[in-house]
């Protein structure tokens, strides 16, 4: 093949996307509670060892593009759209006004707001730092975000604690720091109760998001289970207002099974919001788009969520790779992520109604006949042959993933 002239490259990308097929219309995409973060598509590809590869884009452009593609909801950190020094000033009000205009112009809704508590130097010792002025500022920031949320019509507020941890052990008292952290969540909920009354709206759903490592060496709330423990610890003043925003990759990063983490959250009634992406176990937070690494696991995750009637947001918290251009973010990255999600969601429905999986799971629950519960060996014998169905179900899930259940064959 000859080298491709620069001016023909976008057309090539578009043609191959078209040829790949599998895309849904914006109308179909809008039926799902898929939410698009400002920061995901505005990410310029920078990191500790990486210079940016893409140029900045405005929230107006982000909202317009989400709308065109069919992602009906937008969410943001406070400082994604309002520089830290402009918060609490008239510039904040002016920006919030422009966001409202942009959302309504494009038929979009704001689903969620979140406070940046990890990037700015003020958070060097976390939002629950020893110095009371940092903590007071944190409370103001969290309350201000809740206020922005009400102004924009959001239903959710997310908290990723970011720098809540340490580099050198013994420098902080973990129990005290966690108490101070809970005080911040309490201040946000308290502000929410007052603001909700003022705006004549329901209070927001406050969702805690854990991550096991990055950007601190050691993290005080590393998993969704740790967040559940905090919610039920007695330190949280309004535990009914507080739940979880698990992130798929964050649970995988510590070596956990995301589906099991989600199951525990569901059992506690705390699965409020879900960050969807993909990546690898025991590696850093690569935020690859949903389904590109672990499609079979993702299929299973969605079976769980479908079976339990999860109806919260699916938030596209991923980072388009550094090899993707500004054009590619909207031409390839975003639509393909949304469409993989929808395809996996539909496949999860097929799993739920698959007669083979149904009969196999029913048989496993019915168990084998003829066991004498006083005799351990007879229990083993009674169920022995049935238990092969576990692996058979695994195989059936693979077949559904590759379309074999619909007659797709390979070299046969
Ligand atoms: C970090 C994250 C965050 C949170 C976001 C929401 C930048 O690993 O996942 O995304 O999701 O801060 O509060
Ligand atoms: Mg996240
Ligand atoms: Mg992540």
């Amino acid at each position: 093949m000859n080298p491709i002239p620069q001016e023909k490259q976008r057309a090539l990308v578009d043609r191959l996307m078209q040829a790949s097929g599998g895309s849904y219309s914006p109308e179909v995409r809008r039926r799902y509670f898929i939410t698009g973060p400002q920061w995901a598509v505005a990410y310029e590809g920078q990191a500790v060892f990486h210079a940016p590869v893409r140029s900045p884009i405005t929230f107006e452009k982000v909202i317009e593009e989400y709308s065109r593609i069919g992602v009906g909801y937008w969410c943001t950190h406070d400082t994604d759209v309002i520089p830290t020094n402009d918060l609490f000033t008239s510039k904040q009000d002016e920006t919030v006004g422009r966001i409202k205009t942009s959302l309504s112009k494009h038929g979009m809704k704001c689903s969620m707001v979140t406070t940046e508590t990890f990037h700015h130097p003020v958070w060097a010792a976390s939002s629950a730092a020893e110095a009371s002025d940092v903590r007071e500022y944190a409370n103001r920031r969290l309350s201000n975000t809740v206020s922005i949320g009400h102004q924009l019509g959001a239903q959710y507020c997310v908290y990723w604690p970011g720098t809540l941890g340490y580099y050198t052990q013994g420098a902080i008292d973990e129990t005290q720091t966690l108490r101070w952290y809970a005080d911040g969540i309490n201040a946000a909920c308290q502000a929410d109760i007052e603001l909700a009354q003022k705006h004549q709206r329901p209070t927001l759903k406050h969702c805690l998001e854990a991550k096991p490592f990055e950007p601190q060496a050691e993290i005080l709330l590393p998993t969704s289970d740790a967040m559940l423990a905090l919610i039920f610890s007695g330190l949280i003043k309004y535990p009914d207002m507080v739940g979880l925003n698990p992130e798929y990759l964050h649970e995988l990063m510590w070596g956990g099974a995301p589906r099991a983490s989600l199951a525990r959250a569901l059992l506690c009634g705390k699965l409020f919001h879900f960050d969807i992406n993909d990546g690898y176990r025991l590696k850093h937070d690569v935020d690859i788009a949903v389904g590109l690494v672990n499609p079979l696991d993702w299929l299973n995750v969605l079976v769980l969520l479908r079976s339990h009637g999860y109806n919260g947001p699916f938030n596209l918290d991923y980072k388009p790779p550094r090899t993707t251009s500004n054009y590619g973010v909207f031409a390839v990255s975003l639509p393909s992520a949304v469409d993989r999600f929808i395809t996996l969601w539909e496949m999860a429905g097929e799993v739920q109604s698959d007669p083979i999986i149904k009969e196999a799971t029913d048989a496993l629950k019915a168990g084998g006949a003829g066991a004498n519960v006083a005799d351990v060996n007879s229990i083993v014998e009674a169920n022995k042959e049935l238990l092969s169905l576990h692996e058979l179900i695994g195989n059936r899930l693979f077949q559904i993933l590759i379309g074999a259940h619909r007659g797709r064959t390979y070299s046969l």
Side-chain angles (χ1 to χ4, degrees), residues 239-320:
D240 293 346
M241 293 172 72
V242 183
L244 297 186
N245 172 41
E247 177 175 310
Y248 177 88
L249 180 57
H250 293 177
E251 298 305 314
L252 199 65
M253 278 167 71
W254 63 267
R259 188 168 129 135
S261 296
L262 293 165
R264 295 189 292 269
L266 281 167
L267 282 177
C268 296
K270 291 301 189 189
L271 187 60
F272 286 5
H273 199 276
F274 184 25
D275 274 2
I276 62 171
N277 56 16
D278 213 336
Y280 304 92
R281 272 197 159 91
L282 303 174
K283 298 275 167 67
H284 66 284
D285 197 13
V286 286
D287 290 328
I288 293 168
V290 56
L292 286 184
V293 182
N294 298 293
L296 185 62
D297 192 49
W298 256 107
L299 173 59
N300 280 304
V301 160
L302 295 184
V303 172
L304 177 85
L305 298 189
R306 279 190 78 131
S307 335
H308 289 81
Y310 170 75
N311 62 4
F314 293 99
N315 185 41
L316 297 162
D317 188 12
Y318 78 108
K319 293 189 173 65

Side-chain angles (χ1 to χ4, degrees), residues 50-99:
H50 295 328
V53 290
R54 290 184 288 265
S55 42
I57 50 175
T58 61
F59 63 78
E60 281 95 349
K61 168 86 171 158
V62 169
I63 290 169
E64 181 186 341
E65 289 292 329
Y66 273 134
S67 167
R68 185 182 59 76
I69 287 165
V71 172
Y73 302 84
W74 173 84
C75 59
T76 193
H77 293 97
D78 51 358
T79 56
D80 290 343
V81 286
I82 306 159
T84 304
N85 291 330
D86 291 351
L87 291 165
F88 309 107
T89 71
S90 58
K91 288 193 185 150
Q92 167 174 319
D93 300 330
E94 191 248 325
T95 305
V96 170
R98 274 171 46 220
I99 294 171

Side-chain angles (χ1 to χ4, degrees), residues 315-389:
N315 185 41
L316 297 162
D317 188 12
Y318 78 108
K319 293 189 173 65
R322 297 180 80 238
T323 42
T324 295
S325 71
N326 274 74
Y327 181 77
V329 167
F330 297 113
V332 178
S333 187
L334 191 65
S336 64
V338 169
D339 293 339
R340 277 193 310 279
F341 170 80
I342 297 175
T343 303
L344 286 161
W345 182 262
E346 288 185 348
M347 286 165 59
E350 293 188 329
V351 170
Q352 284 180 295
S353 59
D354 184 70
I356 294 174
I357 292 181
K358 184 166 183 343
E359 192 172 342
T361 47
D362 284 350
L364 283 162
K365 283 184 217 156
N372 168 6
V373 290
D375 171 8
V376 65
N377 294 325
S378 92
I379 299 173
V380 172
E381 285 307 314
N383 290 287
K384 201 167 153 180
E385 298 305 332
L386 274 184
L387 290 178
S388 301
L389 293 173

